[in-house]
Amino acid sequence: MNGDTGSDALLDLVREDLRGFGGYASARTYDLKGEVWLNANESPWANPADAGGASRRYPDPQPPALREALARLYGCRPGQLLVGRGSDEAIDLLVRALCVPGRDAVLVTPPVFGMYAVSARLQGAPLLEVPLVDGDAGFAVDLGAVAAAAEQGGAKLVFLCSPSNPTGGSVPLADVAALASRLAGRALVVVDEAYGEFSDQPSAITLMARHANIAVLRTLSKAHALAAARIGSLVADPALVRVLRACQAPYPVPTPCVELAVAALSDEALARTSARVAQVRSERARLRQALATLPGVVRVYPSDGNYLLVRFGDPGAAFDRLLAAGVVVRDQRAVAQLGDALRITIGTPDQNDRVLAALDAREAAA
Ligand SMILES: *Cc1c(COP(=O)(O)O)cnc(C)c1O
């Protein structure tokens, strides 16, 4: 790594007042050995509802078995990975640790997942918006405009969602790398790969050896079907991971969730998850083709995620017809550039058939 892109330059991106901040020193902070643990005011007895007593003690802040399993899954080293309460928590930690309120901006590319803007607002960080461009191949990031706006607006964080929610497209890795080079020493480029499992494109984690100012968000909430367990990961330079850990809650991941996640990362469970992902991908192709033939459908965007963005001639009627059939989809009509669009999550084959039947105007008229 050269000086421009290494850990030292990266730590310069952290808020000055947080450099050297150690965070809360919990009972778990001290590496002591013993047999009788009377240092954390825990109960010596298990709760009657807690069979096995796994929840009696405070959890390890970053459980090694989970961290190692996630690192294996994502192809990084455990020291590069921070586990938290969903990737939502990692987004919030990044904004809080890097952005001085009223000064350091967060750049987003709307229409896009709303949590980046929410975290920026809560931190008092200026928000820079560089809209996606709606082209023949779908919505795409305007890389030149992003780089220029980030430089001019003093962005500390640039969030790229890839595959993007709700528009479905991926940001080419070469573009991520070029942006990271251009913004080295100025900003961290965060690639949110919440839907990475559904895409053919390799993870931006593969770029991190050359670009310390790239961080990647992953989650077990979507492809791994564990949204309620709230297990998200940030993969980043180990020096940045240490800074964020100091800013995080003392015990961020509950033991029952850790146990569930570790079980979900066994070879057998992962093989079954992969089969489900393949099924979603084939249903995505089928649904996209079928939707495109329906009369009221104006455009179905290509998608690398587990959802389709669809424009309708009469989006309100489509939404209502789906609702009348008991199918709830995500209304995008209040979103700039998406005034006629709905986002439809890929369901089971039966559920997808229900979507198609509800939307088929010819059937409704008959
Ligand atoms: C769903 C989603 C997340 C949130 O994931 P959690 O790990 O459940 O917090 C993050 N980013 C995008 C783009 C999402 O769609």
Side-chain angles (χ1 to χ4, degrees), residues 98 176 313:
L98 269 62
V176 176

Side-chain angles (χ1 to χ4, degrees), residues 84-91 112-116 160-166 192-195 217-222 226-228 230-233 306-307 343:
R85 288 160 292 181
S87 36
D88 288 341
E89 183 184 27
I91 293 165
V112 76
F113 185 59
M115 280 309 292
Y116 320 129
L160 300 177
C161 195
S162 179
S164 193
N165 175 12
D192 186 343
E193 296 180 354
Y195 302 96
L217 298 168
R218 303 294 302 247
T219 180
L220 297 186
S221 295
K222 306 288 170 35
L226 287 181
R230 310 301 307 127
I231 301 290
S233 301
N306 66 336
Y307 48 85
R343 189 196 67 193

Side-chain angles (χ1 to χ4, degrees), residues 50-248:
D50 179 21
S55 290
R56 179 168 71 83
R57 292 193 185 284
Y58 283 102
D60 190 298
Q62 294 287 296
L66 177 59
R67 217 182 185 194
E68 279 155 27
L70 288 168
R72 229 176 6 256
L73 179 67
Y74 298 139
C76 66
R77 286 172 280 119
Q80 291 177 291
L81 189 137
L82 182 80
V83 192
R85 288 160 292 181
S87 36
D88 288 341
E89 183 184 27
I91 293 165
D92 190 58
L93 286 171
L94 284 166
V95 175
R96 282 199 285 156
L98 269 62
C99 296
V100 172
R103 188 189 78 187
D104 299 322
V106 170
L107 189 149
V108 298
T109 59
V112 76
F113 185 59
M115 280 309 292
Y116 320 129
V118 167
S119 291
R121 176 96 186 258
L122 287 169
Q123 178 69 2
L127 187 70
L128 304 172
E129 297 189 301
V130 179
L132 297 175
V133 177
D134 189 6
D136 290 342
F139 281 92
V141 174
D142 182 345
L143 260 295
V146 166
E151 285 172 352
Q152 284 157 24
K156 272 284 181 67
L157 283 166
V158 173
F159 283 100
L160 300 177
C161 195
S162 179
S164 193
N165 175 12
T167 49
S170 297
V171 184
L173 280 194
D175 288 355
V176 176
L179 185 65
S181 288
R182 182 153 165 197
L183 297 179
R186 295 172 185 254
L188 183 71
V189 176
V190 184
V191 187
D192 186 343
E193 296 180 354
Y195 302 96
E197 290 87 346
F198 302 105
S199 165
D200 287 327
Q201 178 167 287
S203 169
I205 292 169
T206 57
L207 302 174
M208 286 173 38
R210 287 173 154 272
H211 302 274
N213 66 326
I214 292 177
V216 171
L217 298 168
R218 303 294 302 247
T219 180
L220 297 186
S221 295
K222 306 288 170 35
H224 294 267
L226 287 181
R230 310 301 307 127
I231 301 290
S233 301
L234 174 84
V235 182
D237 187 278
L240 182 63
V241 167
R242 283 190 291 274
V243 168
L244 298 177
R245 174 63 204 122
C247 299
Q248 196 180 26

